[in-house]
Amino acid sequence: HCWSGFLFETLFRLGLRAAVVSPGSRSTPLACAAAAHPGLDAISVLDERSAAFLALGIARSTRRPVALVCTSGTAAANWFPAVIEARESRVPILLLSADRPPEMRECSSGQTIDQLKLFGQYPRWQMELPVPEADAALFPFLRQTVIHAWERCLRFGRGPVHLNLPFRDPLAPVEDGSLAGLDQAAVWKTLDGVREMGGQPASAGPWLEERARELAGVKRGVIVAGNECWADGGEYARSAGALARALGWPVLADGLGPLREHAEAVPYLVHNYEWICGSGRAPPSPEWIVRLGPPPTGKRLRAWLEQTDCPHWLVDDGDRNVDPLHAAGEPLRCDAVSLARAVERVLPARRETDPGESAWTKTWLDAAALGRDRVNAILDGCGFFFEGEISRALSRHLPERTPVFVANSMPARDVEWFWEPGSRRREIFFNRGANGIDGTLSTAAGIARGSARPAVLLTGDLAFLHDANGLLHASSSSFSLTVVLINNGGGGIFEHLPIAAFDPPFERFFATPQRVDFGKLARAHGIPHQKVADPAAFRRLISELPKSGTRVLEIHTDRKRDAAFRRELAKA
């Protein structure tokens, strides 16, 4: 317990503020230390998979690492989907798995598996700590190992880090005489020099200004702003806007990124690039493309990018490859803020001599305006509750600064296609690292808990059911979460794939229809549930969010009718 208390005090001084703990015996010292620390929000969650995604959501919304604690055996294996997502989307989570001591392994001891390198290559760093001993020389080792784990978690790319911690009995906080010869005051004094450690600031030296000069004279360029939920949304938007003003280029802004919510900061913003690229109206032959982070979700934009024969700058401050298109791309290892400052320093004349739109940029903006007007006219005249209208309504009517978690599959695509630009500064969150539907409700609960603002989850029925155990924590009244549940009786995204023409096996093995009574499921957890059939009523319900508690707003849609309507809308 002294060992675990020292560990959590080190983490607290580094910046840890939340620990998600699942019950178990072998993790007793860690659970007790987390619960006893006055500076930590220690959260108890029964299901380890749900706990891991809850931690992921809290880390996303607070932009701080979160600790996960579980017992030995298969408990930590339930973290694996969230560990993969954390690695792929660069979210810092510190995995603290309790384990049996070495003498209890490989001998048919209960609740014991091989936990070393349990998560394969997905942790950014992993290590097993020694069994705790009352040895003063071991505590500085523990301190420095924890500091290194925190740094690997948060700097140089961010992501999950795994520490495996074996413990011997007794596990309860009982006096066993082992600390009699330890000068505990001296041990704790070794923490005096530990200070809070944030993320690694991006470097922007003269080399970046030299690269920025290459953009002088480039008229036909495009800035593609992908999803980004770690950077400060306002700062990210101002940086993209500064690039646009300095270069005079259009900005194609992903709906999952922050730019559409800070539209006033971004000139030449194009939000409906998917319609433009699919209509044949996308201007041909750009001279240069600057891509901020991973490319957006939409296949039409990706197809257009793949057809371009020009330099691509891949702006990312980590160590990952953000180019699934395998374009002629060059990694630029900096963040958008550093690049914008460098461009502004070396290209000030562009803003003075060409302050207006170029013909190239005007072509993009004219196409965007035409597409916007046509889509809005068609949606306004739609005679049924179309799924895409839900995303449009959320973008128009949610209160300012609302955190919004968007589930994968059709909700993520509907946000890209129908989320309108504005200046309400809402935060958009997502799990687009591995793009899975697991952990949807738990992550959204973590976002709500970490944000301290009434939050919204936009999800389909299958993603909701896949994480139904998340209702255990979502029933808490310590945060506010409104679940917008689109119930189309199965997997609507599969209606857009070629396999949809082959039934059987399509309906049973791909659409996977379900007939769950979501009202009964919600009420079993004490969560209010309401079916919403009228778009006007939906707009009223989302314009003012409750201050606490979780509620479910269920909207029934017809996935086959919606799929056909999307195809007609795209043609129009």
Side-chain angles (χ1 to χ4, degrees):
H1 285 267
C2 179
W3 181 267
S4 297
F6 186 89
L7 181 150
F8 272 107
E9 177 61 23
T10 305
L11 288 172
F12 174 74
R13 296 190 186 202
L14 289 168
L16 182 73
R17 295 296 179 267
V20 181
V21 182
S22 295
S25 175
R26 192 58 49 175
S27 54
T28 296
L30 293 170
C32 290
H37 198 291
L40 294 181
D41 180 16
I43 307 160
S44 176
V45 179
L46 173 65
D47 176 7
E48 285 86 3
R49 189 180 77 161
S50 181
F53 279 104
L54 180 78
L56 186 81
I58 296 173
R60 282 190 185 279
S61 59
T62 61
R63 296 181 176 85
R64 284 178 179 267
V66 174
L68 265 172
V69 173
C70 77
T71 192
S72 63
T74 58
N78 290 282
W79 289 346
F80 211 159
V83 172
I84 294 172
E85 176 62 34
R87 173 59 184 247
E88 297 299 321
S89 57
R90 301 197 306 176
V91 177
I93 298 178
L94 188 59
L95 313 166
L96 304 177
S97 58
D99 201 354
R100 301 286 176 121
E103 67 270 16
M104 296 182 70
R105 302 175 190 173
E106 303 293 343
C107 60
S108 299
S109 176
Q111 209 167 326
T112 307
I113 66 170
D114 184 358
Q115 297 180 197
L116 303 184
K117 298 190 176 178
L118 178 62
F119 306 108
Q121 64 181 359
Y122 287 100
R124 299 197 69 248
W125 186 65
Q126 50 195 318
M127 182 176 178
E128 178 170 63
L129 293 176
V131 177
E133 294 182 32
D135 183 346
L138 282 179
F139 283 87
F141 157 77
L142 175 60
R143 179 199 62 214
Q144 292 309 112
T145 301
V146 169
I147 290 173
H148 182 64
W150 182 269
E151 184 181 37
R152 294 297 299 270
C153 196
L154 191 57
R155 291 182 171 179
F156 313 113
R158 297 188 307 273
V161 165
H162 180 205
L163 294 180
N164 197 55
L165 296 106
F167 293 106
R168 290 193 178 101
D169 290 334
L171 299 172
V174 296
E175 179 60 55
D176 63 355
S178 62
L179 298 178
L182 183 68
D183 186 346
Q184 294 189 56
V187 165
W188 285 82
K189 187 167 180 56
T190 64
L191 293 178
D192 286 351
V194 179
R195 297 288 183 269
E196 185 161 341
M197 182 190 299
Q200 182 76 357
S203 61
W207 68 272
L208 194 52
E209 295 183 5
E210 287 299 317
R211 301 310 308 275
R213 288 189 178 91
E214 298 177 30
L215 303 179
V218 177
K219 295 286 189 181
R220 298 194 314 276
V222 171
I223 300 167
V224 179
N227 56 60
E228 171 60 67
C229 75
W230 188 264
D232 176 84
E235 186 178 40
Y236 182 74
R238 288 188 292 273
S239 299
L243 278 173
R245 278 188 293 272
L247 299 171
W249 298 356
V251 181
L252 313 188
D254 188 352
L256 294 177
L259 299 194
R260 295 193 200 181
E261 285 298 313
H262 298 264
E264 80 289 348
V266 188
Y268 320 135
L269 188 148
V270 176
H271 75 288
N272 49 3
Y273 48 80
E274 277 291 287
W275 304 107
I276 297 171
C277 292
S279 68
R281 288 183 176 270
S285 305
E287 298 174 297
W288 211 290
I289 294 175
V290 173
R291 288 160 50 185
L292 307 179
T297 303
K299 291 184 177 179
R300 296 178 174 196
L301 174 61
R302 290 184 179 220
W304 182 78
L305 290 171
E306 286 181 311
Q307 295 168 5
T308 60
D309 184 19
C310 68
H312 287 232
W313 274 359
L314 311 173
V315 179
D316 186 82
D317 63 350
D319 56 359
R320 60 181 175 171
N321 179 1
V322 293
D323 186 22
L325 309 180
H326 309 303
E330 178 188 357
L332 219 60
R333 295 304 181 188
C334 65
D335 60 9
V337 176
S338 300
L339 178 61
R341 289 172 179 168
V343 168
E344 285 188 303
R345 284 195 293 269
V346 302
L347 299 177
R350 172 67 60 86
R351 297 195 305 277
E352 298 167 4
T353 61
D354 185 19
E357 303 163 3
S358 66
W360 161 263
T361 300
K362 188 174 187 303
T363 303
W364 278 97
L365 298 180
D366 289 347
L370 178 62
R372 178 198 62 217
D373 293 344
R374 286 188 176 178
V375 168
N376 283 336
I378 294 171
L379 291 186
D380 290 342
C382 181
F384 60 94
F385 208 162
F386 170 56
E387 289 178 7
E389 169 58 23
I390 297 170
S391 290
R392 188 178 72 150
L394 290 171
S395 71
R396 290 180 171 184
H397 298 287
L398 280 179
E400 289 189 4
R401 301 186 183 278
T402 298
V404 182
F405 185 78
V406 182
N408 284 318
S409 295
M410 287 312 301
R413 286 159 177 81
D414 279 345
V415 165
E416 183 171 36
W417 285 61
F418 299 104
W419 195 279
E420 296 182 341
S423 299
R424 295 198 173 191
R425 294 168 174 76
R426 288 160 299 206
E427 292 185 280
I428 311 297
F429 297 97
F430 45 85
N431 281 344
R432 295 298 290 175
N435 297 4
I437 65 169
D438 37 0
T440 297
L441 183 56
S442 299
T443 308
I447 295 292
R449 185 170 188 129
S451 299
R453 291 178 179 276
V456 168
L457 164 63
L458 175 63
T459 181
D461 51 327
L462 295 190
F464 184 94
L465 288 174
H466 201 279
D467 191 29
N469 261 10
L471 290 168
L472 289 168
H473 188 75
S475 61
S476 168
S477 61
S478 61
F479 53 83
S480 169
L481 178 64
T482 294
V483 178
V484 178
L485 171 60
I486 303 173
N487 184 359
N488 58 21
I493 193 169
F494 294 106
E495 298 284 350
H496 301 272
L497 300 181
I499 192 62
F502 300 88
D503 190 21
F506 173 74
E507 193 66 16
R508 180 181 176 190
F509 289 95
F510 293 88
T512 54
Q514 55 75 28
R515 296 176 177 82
V516 174
D517 187 326
F518 287 96
K520 290 181 179 178
L521 180 60
R523 285 190 290 273
H525 291 269
I527 294 175
H529 168 274
Q530 182 176 351
K531 288 186 178 180
V532 185
D534 176 45
F538 176 67
R539 291 192 290 269
R540 288 194 299 272
L541 286 166
I542 61 172
S543 62
E544 187 172 348
L545 302 177
K547 291 187 168 89
S548 65
T550 296
R551 64 172 177 169
V552 176
L553 306 179
E554 181 182 354
I555 303 169
H556 276 266
T557 62
D558 186 323
R559 56 183 158 87
K560 293 191 180 294
R561 181 179 61 181
D562 272 35
F565 184 73
R566 290 173 197 275
R567 289 190 286 270
E568 293 303 315
L569 187 59
K571 290 179 184 177

